[in-house]
Amino acid sequence: MTAIALAHVNLRAAPPVIEKLRAFYCDVLGLAAGPRPQFALQGYWLYAGDRDVVHLVADDEAALRNAGESTFHHTAFDCEDRPAFEKRLQANRVPFHVAHVPGRNLVQVFLQDPAGNGVELTFREG
């Protein structure tokens, strides 16, 4: 038995940060807020097509509980149309840098969300 795919990323933060994250992931990356079970804590499930890929949870105690303990680096999304994404990032004043994967037709665009979490956008080119 083995894991077969990444299911979702869960980010927890204070409610004002969650709202900034929701706006970023929807407005900049193009995800869409969608159905979410009625959990005790408020939040959002953000979808890429029909898959919930980012779970945001409003949790006032999360920052205190996790301070300095995370080894999280980034979440990667397979994407299309790099020029359009780069224009959207520039229009939203989101700094980013581009890297080419050696020996592969992959281009990576690296940036950070409003909470400082790393985000990688991967484009198949060539």
Side-chain angles (χ1 to χ4, degrees):
M1 183 175 293
T2 164
I4 59 170
L6 175 66
H8 68 268
V9 173
N10 183 291
L11 302 174
R12 291 176 177 248
V17 176
I18 289 298
E19 292 304 320
K20 289 179 184 177
L21 291 170
R22 183 203 50 77
F24 173 83
Y25 282 97
C26 291
D27 298 345
V28 177
L29 296 191
L31 300 181
R36 177 181 182 267
Q38 295 296 318
F39 294 113
L41 295 174
Q42 296 299 309
Y44 300 97
W45 278 13
L46 307 181
Y47 288 74
D50 62 353
R51 293 203 50 210
D52 53 300
V53 296
V54 176
H55 294 182
L56 302 175
V57 179
D59 183 355
D60 283 317
E61 297 177 10
L64 296 174
R65 191 171 50 250
N66 298 331
E69 295 177 12
S70 177
T71 58
F72 177 82
H73 187 263
H74 72 270
T75 302
F77 296 92
D78 285 333
C79 299
E80 298 176 331
D81 197 353
R82 182 167 58 105
F85 254 108
E86 289 183 2
K87 285 180 185 175
R88 185 185 299 173
L89 294 172
Q90 291 165 345
N92 284 278
R93 295 190 169 103
V94 176
F96 65 92
H97 72 276
V98 176
H100 296 267
V101 178
R104 302 215 177 183
N105 293 330
L106 294 176
V107 177
Q108 300 164 304
V109 176
F110 292 99
L111 52 130
Q112 289 186 326
D113 71 17
N117 298 306
V119 176
E120 173 189 328
L121 309 177
T122 303
F123 299 88
R124 298 187 189 291
E125 297 184 353

